[in-house]
Amino acid sequence: MIRATGLLLLCASATHANTYCADLTARTTTEIALPDGTPGTCSTSLNLSGAQAINCRWPFDYRADAATAAFTALLNATTQCLNTDGVTDQGVNHPDSYDLRMFHTATAQISVSIKDKGALQQTYVFLRIAPKD
C-alpha cells in the first residue's frame, strides 16, 4: 500500500511537471501551476513593443520554508524544461531579500524570483514569461 501511494505521488508530480513544461513553452495560458500543482495567480501585461507577457505569483508566509522550496522547484523545473543551464543570477538592490534568475531562449525571456515583502509579512515566488522584442 505504501509503495502504491508513493508511486501515485511520483506520477502526479511528473504529470504536473509535464504540464508546467507545456505551459512554459506554449505561452498561451495564464493558468500556470507550480510543478507540484499549486495554481498561481497569473495575469498578462504588455511590453513596450506591444507583446504580451505572462506574470504569475504564489504568496507564502513571510520567509516560510515552503516559499524557498517552491522557488527551488520552479527554478529546477524551468531549467529542465528549457534544457539549459543558461540561468543568470541578477544582482538587485532591494531592502528585503530578493533572488532573481533569468533564462534567455530564442523566443522569450523567462524569470523566476523569490521576494520577501516585509511590510506585508509575506514572501512571493514569481514567474514572468516575456516574448523577446
Side-chain angles (χ1 to χ4, degrees), residues 109-128:
Q109 179 179 327
I110 299 164
S111 60
V112 176
S113 61
I114 184 169
K115 184 185 294 187
D116 288 334
K117 297 286 195 174
L120 299 175
Q121 287 296 290
Q122 288 190 305
T123 296
Y124 283 87
V125 173
F126 294 100
L127 171 69
R128 183 168 191 274

Side-chain angles (χ1 to χ4, degrees), residues 84-99:
T84 182
D85 290 330
V87 67
T88 56
D89 186 6
Q90 300 293 347
V92 293
N93 182 10
H94 194 274
D96 292 322
S97 176
Y98 184 44
D99 191 357

Side-chain angles (χ1 to χ4, degrees), residues 5 41 50 86:
T5 302
T41 302

Side-chain angles (χ1 to χ4, degrees), residues 20-77:
Y20 173 74
C21 288
D23 290 343
L24 182 67
T25 56
R27 295 188 310 274
T28 58
T29 183
T30 56
E31 296 180 12
I32 298 176
L34 289 172
D36 71 358
T38 304
T41 302
C42 301
S43 61
T44 59
S45 61
L46 293 179
N47 291 347
L48 290 175
S49 68
Q52 195 171 47
I54 298 169
N55 307 282
C56 300
R57 69 183 185 280
W58 293 267
F60 295 89
D61 290 335
Y62 188 66
R63 296 194 173 168
D65 290 340
T68 303
F71 171 72
T72 301
L74 191 62
L75 186 60
N76 289 340

